[in-house]
């Protein structure tokens, strides 16, 4: 505020009164964010006269030139009270034409005070209907004081005056109901009336008007009374010497509480000077370049300049007094007449283009309502409209090209493979240019290799030596574009032939025009994109520029796609190396597995599965998921899988294995987490011990086709858990399916995990009818991922059909705790192997059993148990109550013992020990002789594992 006041104080001392008002209004409006404003000065009787305005169109200020100072407006209240006044938004039913600045917005007024009275006011229209703050009121009052100070400091001749007596404008009020007419002193002078002879009746005014002008003047007054519109009239007034002078009058109606006209308040002034001005203006209009016509309320032509005569094709003497719409040039345009009539009725200025039927020229018609008729302007805009049309067409074409470029850019940004890039070019570049073929070649050494094409026959592609590529040479446009890095355009076969006159350079296809666009990225040209046309085609400079721009986008996208292709290949090789190449063939289970990588990414995933054979008919089924994607997660998966193999080989209990894995994952980093499910299946009794850490539960499908998710205890994910882990014991009947999976198979953006698990449970009973588990895996993956749709997460699936060991394939005995136990063990071995027709293994098995039993007698304690298992292999197992595990060691030449386990290790294929609920068990495993079968009830199963 202070800055604005400082600016006002810098105004020159010699500025005019109108400049003072303009500055005061502009700074007041700017400070308070107003939409408009006006300055009023007090006149005689009850009139406030508008002397300056800003931001308000003439159509509004015309009705506000005279304001009743006894009225309800803020201006009148401020003048009467000599105090600032605020008026909020006024309901529509209270607004009247005599109350200027009433609107849906609030308005305020500050008086211009000179001594004990106000001579006027500054009134502003608020844009937000909010009353000024105290600081803003202070600012407005200061501006008003500045205005008065400037007015007082002006010399008397320079001032407009604060009273209408100093102006040639007279004020009048007409009571429409009583006929009473009030004139001020200036009005007496304007109408050449002696105040002593004045009778305050409307008849006094009617007597002063020239008889020829009285009908039209009364008609104008009657129209204002009927329509509540402003009163405008010009007429002649008789002077004291009997001569007549031209006078103009304007006013507005004042309504009573019932909305009826009570009086008309207005002003009048001598217009002889203005009529002279109008004559000068008429001459200017006569020779102006635009066609100009003036018509009365009945659309009769009252004036037409020379250009209007030319446009309408009618001379001036035939135009005056004629109906405008009866002219031949306008008779055939009824829509133009209708629009103009509607604008005149609504007193609204309008403008639109019309085309003359006889000449075809385009004109911009402007209609401006005036008192007693309208004026029309016709401007020839034929050339400008044509240029605008051309500009619009150019802009539209540019917008279309930009839109295509944006679409191509988006599709290229989403492209991940070279095939995606070629497809984007085919869909986004060929159609807009009406191209008929596409060929994309990349450089590999001294060869150009074809990586994608559209609308080129196989015979042509074979001429390019297939994927082996063609020689890179500057003797043809393809090689020249790559070697020089410059685009080449040939609009016809003749142009091609003239550029390469050698026979080998003739076009090898039936295409007729070409664009050879080098593909350059990071300063290196690595290929070329050939766009071909089926007919001769000369591309414009804009089209060539656009194609060159597109080639740059394609080059970067293709370079990125080729890097992606190479990285994807390496990632797939790494993934295959991290997963089991195939599942082991085991008699305990028949298994099949699938791994489905995540779509739209070259990162390897952290999902894995495994099938680990253990001792004595036991097998471990494992599935897990390292959270995240990428090489670090894949490395974590490899570590966890290797550690689990090691821990499982030690035949630790499942909960202890999971505890060790939790320590390993937790030690890999703060943000390393993994889920895992470990199932230990014992084929001798059908038991299955399951432990899971943050992983979905397994699905069991029984032989009768029923499927359910067993209630398996849940533990936190590895890396976030606190041992011990809770395990769950299941009982699986032979030929049941045990299904392990990761969340990526059953969960997606469009499917909750519960819905996916329910869908899996619904699919598997039907799929389990197939005998081949490979077919079952395919049915599950197709059912959960129809159409091979890419997944947001990688997924793993392991399905195992469990088998049981028949009673006839097992034998067990309790042995005495003395030295005789070894002999009894050898006897049981001989008898049982004879029943199984395994006589070739008797001697070795006797020695193994004798050594194991002797080791128990010497180093452990009873009770002692012996068990023989004949399934895929021959297992000899000796159990005791001790928890001390045997360890193989190297015995020196003088040691009396320590060679027993070395003998066991030499005689069997593998051996080991494990804890049991009563103590421990030591076992050996021997392969069965070639051709021996364990029996019809226990045919061994097999399994495979492969990516899907």
């Amino acid at each position: 505020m202070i800055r604005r006041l400082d600016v006002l104080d810098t105004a020159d001392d010699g500025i005019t009164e109108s400049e003072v008002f303009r500055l005061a209004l502009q700074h007041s409006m700017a400070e308070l964010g107003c939409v408009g404003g006006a300055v009023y000065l007090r006149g005689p009787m009850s009139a406030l006269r508008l002397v300056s305005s800003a931001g308000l169109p003439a159509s509004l200020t015309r009705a506000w030139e005279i304001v009743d100072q006894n009225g309800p407006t803020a201006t009148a209240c401020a003048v009467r009270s000599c105090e600032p006044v605020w008026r909020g938004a006024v309901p529509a039913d209270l607004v009247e034409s005599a109350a200027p600045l009433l609107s849906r917005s609030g308005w305020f007024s500050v008086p211009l005070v000179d001594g004990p009275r106000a001579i006027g006011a500054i009134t502003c229209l608020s844009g937000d209907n909010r009353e000024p703050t105290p600081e803003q009121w202070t600012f407005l009052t200061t501006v008003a004081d500045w205005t008065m100070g400037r007015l007082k400091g002006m010399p008397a001749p320079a001032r407009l005056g604060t009273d209408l007596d100093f102006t040639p404008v007279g004020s009048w009020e007409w009571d429409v109901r009583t006929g009473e007419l009030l004139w001020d002193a200036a009005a007496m002078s304007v109408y050449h009336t002696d105040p002593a002879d004045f009778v305050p009746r409307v008849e006094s005014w009617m007597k002063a008007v020239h008889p020829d002008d009285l009908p039209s003047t009364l008609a104008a007054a009657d129209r204002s009374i009927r329509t509540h519109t402003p009163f405008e009239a010009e007429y002649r007034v008789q002077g004291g010497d009997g001569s007549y002078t031209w006078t103009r009058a304007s006013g507005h109606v004042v309504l009573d509480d019932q909305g009826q006209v009570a009086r008309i308040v207005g002003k009048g002034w001598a217009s002889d000077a203005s009529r002279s001005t109008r004559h000068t203006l008429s001459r200017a209009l006569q020779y102006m370049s635009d066609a100009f016509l003036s018509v009365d309320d009945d659309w009769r032509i009252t004036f037409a300049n020379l250009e209007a005569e030319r446009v309408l094709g009618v001379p001036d003497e035939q135009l005056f007094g004629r109906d405008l719409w009866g002219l031949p040039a306008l008779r055939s345009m009824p829509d133009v007449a209708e629009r103009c009539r509607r604008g005149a009725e609504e007193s609204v200025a309008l403008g639109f283009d019309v085309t003359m039927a006889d000449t075809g020229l385009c004109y911009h018609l402007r209609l401006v309502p005036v008192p007693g008729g309208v004026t029309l302007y016709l401007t020839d805009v034929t050339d400008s409209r044509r240029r605008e049309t051309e500009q619009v067409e150019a802009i539209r074409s540019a917008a279309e090209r930009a839109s295509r470029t944006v679409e191509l850019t988006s599709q290229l940004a989403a492209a991940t493979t070279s095939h995606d890039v070629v497809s984007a070019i085919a869909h986004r570049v060929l159609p807009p240019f009406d191209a008929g073929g596409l060929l994309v070649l990349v450089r590999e050494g001294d060869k150009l290799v074809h990586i994608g094409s559209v609308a080129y026959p196989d015979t042509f592609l074979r001429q390019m030596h297939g994927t082996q590529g063609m020689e890179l040479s500057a003797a043809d446009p393809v090689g020249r574009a790559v070697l020089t890095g410059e685009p080449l355009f040939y609009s016809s076969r003749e142009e091609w032939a003239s550029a390469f006159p050698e026979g080998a350079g003739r076009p090898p296809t039936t295409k007729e025009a070409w664009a050879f666009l080098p593909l350059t990225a990071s300063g290196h040209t690595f290929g070329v994109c050939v766009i071909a046309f089926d007919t001769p085609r000369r591309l414009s400079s804009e089209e060539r520029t656009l194609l060159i721009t597109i080639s740059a986008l394609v080059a970067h996208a293709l370079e990125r796609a080729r890097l992606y292709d190479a990285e994807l290949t390496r990632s797939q090789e790494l993934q295959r190396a991290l997963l089991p190449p195939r599942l082991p063939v085991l008699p305990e289970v028949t298994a099949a597995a699938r791994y489905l990588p995540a779509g739209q990414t070259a990162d390897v995933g952290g999902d894995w599965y495994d099938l680990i054979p253990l001792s004595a008919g036991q097998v471990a089924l494992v599935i897990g998921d390292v959270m995240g994607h990428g090489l670090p997660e894949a490395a974590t998966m490899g570590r966890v899988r290797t550690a689990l193999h090691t821990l499982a080989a030690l035949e630790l209990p499942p909960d202890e294995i999971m505890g060790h894995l939790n320590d390993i994952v937790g030690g890999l980093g703060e943000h390393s987490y993994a889920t895992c499910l470990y199932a230990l299946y014992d084929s001798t009794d059908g038991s299955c011990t399951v432990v899971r850490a943050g992983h979905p539960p397994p699905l069991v499908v029984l032989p009768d086709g029923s499927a359910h998710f067993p209630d398996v205890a849940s533990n936190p994910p590895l890396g976030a858990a606190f041992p011990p882990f809770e395990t769950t014991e299941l009982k699986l009947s032979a030929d049941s399916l045990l299904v392990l999976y990761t969340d990526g198979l059953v969960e997606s953006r469009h499917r909750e995990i519960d819905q996916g698990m329910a869908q899996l449970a619904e699919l598997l009973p039907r799929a389990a009818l197939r005998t081949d588990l490979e077919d079952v895996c395919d049915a599950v993956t197709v059912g959960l991922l129809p159409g091979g749709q890419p997944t947001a997460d990688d997924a793993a699936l392991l399905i195992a059909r469990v088998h049981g060991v028949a009673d006839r394939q097992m034998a067990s005995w309790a042995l005495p705790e003395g030295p005789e136990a070894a002999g009894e063990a050898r006897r049981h071995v001989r008898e049982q192997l004879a029943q199984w027709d395994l006589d070739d293994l008797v001697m070795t098995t006797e020695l193994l059993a004798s050594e194991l039993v002797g080791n128990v007698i010497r180093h452990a304690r009873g009770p002692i148990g012996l068990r023989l298992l004949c399934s895929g292999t021959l297992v000899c197992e000796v159990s005791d109550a001790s928890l001390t595990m045997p360890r193989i060691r190297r015995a020196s030449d003088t040691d009396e013992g320590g060679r027993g386990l070395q003998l066991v290790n030499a005689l069997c294929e593998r051996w080991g020990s494990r804890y049991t609920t009563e103590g421990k068990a030591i076992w050996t495993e021997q392969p069965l002789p070639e051709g021996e079968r364990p029996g019809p009830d226990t045919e061994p199963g097999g399994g495979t594992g492969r990516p899907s």
Side-chain angles (χ1 to χ4, degrees):
M1 295 183 184
I2 295 176
R3 290 183 179 180
R4 294 191 183 279
L5 295 174
D6 291 341
V7 170
L8 288 176
D9 288 338
T10 61
D12 295 336
D13 293 336
I15 61 174
T16 63
E17 187 177 62
S18 59
E19 184 68 10
V20 171
F21 294 149
R22 184 185 66 81
L23 290 174
L25 272 179
Q26 288 181 346
H27 284 279
S28 298
M29 292 167 55
E31 181 65 34
L32 276 74
C34 299
V35 298
V39 177
Y40 285 86
L41 294 180
R42 184 195 292 269
M45 298 180 295
S46 61
L48 291 172
R49 179 187 171 216
L50 175 67
V51 295
S52 181
S53 66
L56 301 174
S59 58
L60 295 179
T61 57
R62 187 181 299 117
W64 300 348
E65 291 178 343
I66 301 298
V67 174
D68 185 1
Q69 69 182 46
N70 295 319
T73 63
T75 304
C77 293
V79 171
R80 291 198 305 269
S81 64
C82 292
E83 296 290 339
V85 173
W86 159 255
R87 286 289 185 270
V90 178
D93 57 352
L94 295 181
V95 177
E96 59 180 69
S97 59
L101 301 181
L102 286 172
S103 67
R104 294 181 181 177
S105 300
W107 38 280
F108 55 84
S109 185
V110 290
L112 300 174
V113 180
D114 183 14
R117 65 193 291 265
I119 67 168
I122 299 175
T123 301
C124 293
L125 186 65
S126 170
D128 53 9
N129 196 29
R130 288 191 300 181
E131 182 177 359
T133 64
E135 293 80 6
Q136 291 173 331
W137 278 125
T138 301
F139 172 79
L140 293 172
T141 304
T142 305
V143 171
D145 293 342
W146 175 86
T147 303
M148 282 304 306
R150 286 287 180 161
L151 293 177
K152 291 179 179 179
M154 291 182 180
R159 297 183 53 191
L160 293 177
T162 60
D163 195 272
L164 291 182
D165 293 282
F166 296 100
T167 72
V169 179
S171 298
W172 52 266
E173 294 183 21
W174 174 23
D175 190 323
V176 176
R177 295 172 179 173
T178 63
E180 182 182 7
L181 179 65
L182 299 179
W183 283 348
D184 63 2
M188 298 287 185
S189 175
V190 169
Y191 293 109
H192 308 293
T193 301
D194 187 347
D197 299 333
F198 176 67
V199 178
R201 300 290 300 173
V202 71
E203 289 79 5
S204 299
W205 166 68
M206 295 170 63
K207 291 179 181 179
V209 178
H210 192 287
D212 293 342
D213 300 333
L214 187 59
S216 60
T217 304
L218 293 177
D222 181 65
R223 183 167 55 249
S224 296
I225 295 172
R226 286 186 290 100
T227 62
H228 299 182
T229 56
F231 167 73
E232 292 281 350
E234 186 174 18
Y235 45 83
R236 286 165 290 181
V237 176
Q238 187 175 20
D241 58 357
S243 63
Y244 285 90
T245 59
W246 284 96
T247 304
R248 289 188 61 85
S250 66
H252 59 270
V253 298
V254 178
L255 306 180
D256 59 15
D257 295 339
Q258 287 75 36
Q260 300 299 318
V261 177
R263 52 200 175 97
I264 300 178
V265 178
K267 59 185 178 179
W269 65 95
S271 60
D272 279 337
S274 63
R275 288 186 65 83
S276 175
T277 302
R278 287 200 299 273
H279 177 72
T280 304
L281 179 60
S282 175
R283 291 179 55 83
L285 292 174
Q286 185 72 18
Y287 297 98
M288 68 186 296
S289 59
D290 291 347
F292 175 81
L293 298 100
S294 175
V295 298
D296 61 16
D297 291 335
D298 297 324
W299 296 97
R300 290 190 303 269
I301 299 174
T302 58
F303 179 84
N305 67 357
L306 296 177
E307 180 64 15
E309 297 176 22
R310 189 188 65 79
V311 171
L312 299 176
V314 180
D316 177 64
E317 59 272 12
Q318 297 181 22
L319 283 176
F320 188 78
R322 291 188 61 176
D323 181 12
L324 176 65
W325 308 117
L327 298 176
L330 302 177
R331 191 181 301 144
S332 59
M333 295 188 289
D335 55 329
V336 174
E338 177 62 28
R339 294 179 66 178
C340 290
R341 293 182 190 277
R342 187 165 56 251
E345 291 174 359
E346 298 174 357
S347 295
V348 176
L350 53 86
F352 54 89
D353 288 356
V354 296
T355 301
M356 294 298 178
D358 52 350
T359 63
L361 297 178
C362 180
Y363 291 87
H364 181 70
L365 186 150
R366 288 172 295 157
L367 180 143
V368 180
V370 296
V374 298
T375 58
L376 298 99
Y377 303 80
L378 289 167
T379 305
D380 189 348
V381 293
T382 305
D383 292 338
S384 62
R385 292 295 183 263
R386 182 176 63 253
R387 288 192 296 270
E388 290 173 2
T389 302
E390 293 172 352
Q391 291 174 357
V392 169
E393 181 62 25
I395 293 173
R396 186 189 63 79
S397 300
E400 289 180 357
R401 290 194 297 270
S403 176
R404 295 191 195 107
T405 303
V406 169
E407 292 172 355
L408 175 63
T409 303
S410 299
Q411 193 163 347
L412 289 176
T416 54
T417 65
S418 300
H419 175 76
D420 295 338
V421 174
V422 174
S423 177
I425 302 172
H427 287 88
R428 298 297 182 186
V429 178
L430 299 189
F433 289 91
D434 293 328
L438 171 67
L439 184 64
V440 181
L441 305 169
V442 295
R443 181 176 183 176
E444 294 187 2
D446 293 332
K447 300 281 188 179
L448 283 175
V449 179
H450 157 260
I451 63 170
S453 62
V454 174
Y456 274 93
D458 293 338
T459 55
F460 171 77
L461 299 178
R462 282 195 295 271
Q463 291 177 13
M464 300 174 59
H465 311 290
T467 57
Q468 267 102 60
M470 57 183 289
E471 293 294 333
L472 179 61
S473 170
D476 60 73
V478 174
R480 182 175 295 181
V482 175
L483 293 174
T484 63
E486 297 293 332
L488 302 175
F489 301 93
Y490 301 104
S491 61
S492 65
R493 299 175 69 87
E494 290 73 22
E495 277 194 20
W496 177 315
S498 63
F500 298 91
E502 300 294 332
R506 292 175 183 172
T509 69
T510 59
K511 305 298 182 183
E512 297 291 337
W514 300 265
F516 296 90
L517 307 171
L519 300 176
T520 304
S522 302
H524 169 65
T525 301
F526 64 90
V528 62
C529 176
V530 183
I531 296 177
F533 302 88
D534 295 327
T535 58
R537 170 75 183 275
R538 182 171 299 277
L539 296 171
S540 66
S541 59
E542 290 184 357
E543 290 175 323
R544 295 186 180 193
T545 301
L546 180 59
L547 283 176
I548 293 172
T549 303
I550 289 174
S551 69
L553 298 175
V554 171
H556 286 86
L558 190 58
E559 184 182 43
R560 184 177 63 251
R562 296 180 71 206
L563 292 174
Y564 172 86
D565 290 340
E567 185 175 352
L568 180 60
T569 301
R570 291 192 297 269
S571 299
Q572 290 173 343
E573 292 174 352
L574 175 62
Q575 189 71 57
R576 284 192 293 269
L578 291 174
L579 291 172
R582 61 180 290 111
L583 297 177
V585 178
L586 302 174
E588 293 83 9
V589 296
T590 303
R594 292 288 184 275
Y595 172 77
L596 300 104
Q600 300 298 323
T601 176
D603 288 338
V604 293
D607 290 15
W608 92 95
Y609 56 85
D610 226 328
L611 187 66
I612 306 173
L614 301 176
S615 66
Q618 296 184 107
V619 61
L621 299 95
V622 189
I623 196 164
D625 180 6
V626 175
M627 297 182 185
H629 294 87
L631 292 177
E633 286 73 17
T636 300
M637 182 263 278
R639 294 174 182 174
V640 173
R641 181 168 173 258
T642 301
L644 192 143
H645 262 273
T646 303
L647 295 171
L650 296 175
E651 299 200 73
L652 298 175
D655 56 335
E656 291 189 25
I657 291 177
M658 203 65 74
H660 288 300
L661 286 180
N662 181 68
D663 295 338
I664 292 172
V665 174
L668 294 177
E670 182 180 355
H671 301 292
S672 294
Y673 301 100
T675 66
C676 183
L677 188 148
Y678 183 94
L680 177 62
Y681 173 66
D682 190 340
S683 61
T684 62
D685 58 4
S687 64
C688 185
T689 304
V690 182
V691 58
R692 65 185 180 112
H695 204 84
L699 176 66
V700 176
V701 182
L702 300 178
D704 62 4
S706 60
H708 69 284
F709 293 98
D711 187 11
V712 177
S714 178
N715 299 281
L718 300 177
F722 298 94
F725 285 82
E726 186 176 355
T727 62
T728 302
E729 295 290 334
L730 304 179
K731 197 72 172 179
L732 301 179
S733 56
D735 295 328
S736 295
L737 291 184
L738 183 63
V739 183
L740 310 184
Y741 54 92
T742 58
D743 58 356
L745 184 69
V746 294
E747 185 180 26
S748 69
R749 290 189 297 266
H750 311 292
R751 181 176 58 198
E752 296 292 336
I753 189 170
D754 293 340
Q755 297 173 331
M757 292 172 60
Q759 190 174 352
L760 177 65
E762 182 181 351
L763 275 173
L764 264 168
R766 297 195 302 269
L769 299 176
R770 300 173 171 87
T771 56
D772 189 351
L773 289 185
E774 296 294 332
D775 295 338
V776 176
C777 285
D778 290 338
V780 170
T781 55
V782 170
L784 290 175
L785 302 173
Q789 61 186 12
T791 58
D793 191 11
D794 53 339
L797 172 67
L798 176 62
I799 302 179
R801 179 174 279 118
V802 300
H803 306 294
V805 178
D807 292 340
R808 60 187 298 269
Q809 305 309 128
M810 292 186 298
S812 60
W813 303 270
L815 300 178
E817 298 184 17
E820 68 274 14
E824 190 171 333
R826 289 191 294 272
R827 178 175 61 82
H828 288 315
V829 168
R830 287 193 302 272
E831 292 174 353
Q832 187 61 48
L833 293 186
Q835 293 181 18
W836 287 342
D837 297 325
L838 297 176
D839 297 327
D840 293 342
L841 299 178
V842 171
M843 183 178 295
T844 304
T845 308
E846 279 186 313
L847 184 55
L848 290 172
S850 178
E851 182 62 35
L852 294 179
V853 171
N855 197 49
V856 171
I857 294 173
R858 183 176 179 182
H859 299 290
R861 64 178 187 274
I864 305 173
L866 172 66
R867 186 170 70 159
L868 293 178
L869 225 67
C870 181
S871 181
T873 58
L874 178 62
V875 177
C876 177
E877 181 181 282
V878 175
S879 60
D880 60 63
S882 173
L883 296 177
T884 303
M885 288 293 182
R887 292 183 301 163
I888 188 170
R889 62 185 179 88
R890 180 178 297 278
S892 64
D893 294 339
T894 59
D895 287 343
E896 296 181 0
R899 296 177 177 84
L901 290 181
Q902 292 182 8
L903 180 63
V904 169
N905 188 60
L907 292 176
C908 65
E909 187 175 60
R910 64 188 187 115
W911 71 278
S913 60
R914 70 177 185 276
Y915 289 108
T916 65
T917 55
E918 292 83 11
K920 70 174 182 295
I922 306 173
W923 54 270
T924 65
E925 189 175 286
Q926 304 172 74
L928 295 176
E930 205 57 47
E932 294 291 339
R933 296 171 61 89
D937 297 333
T938 56
E939 292 186 4
T944 61
R946 59 184 173 88
S948 176

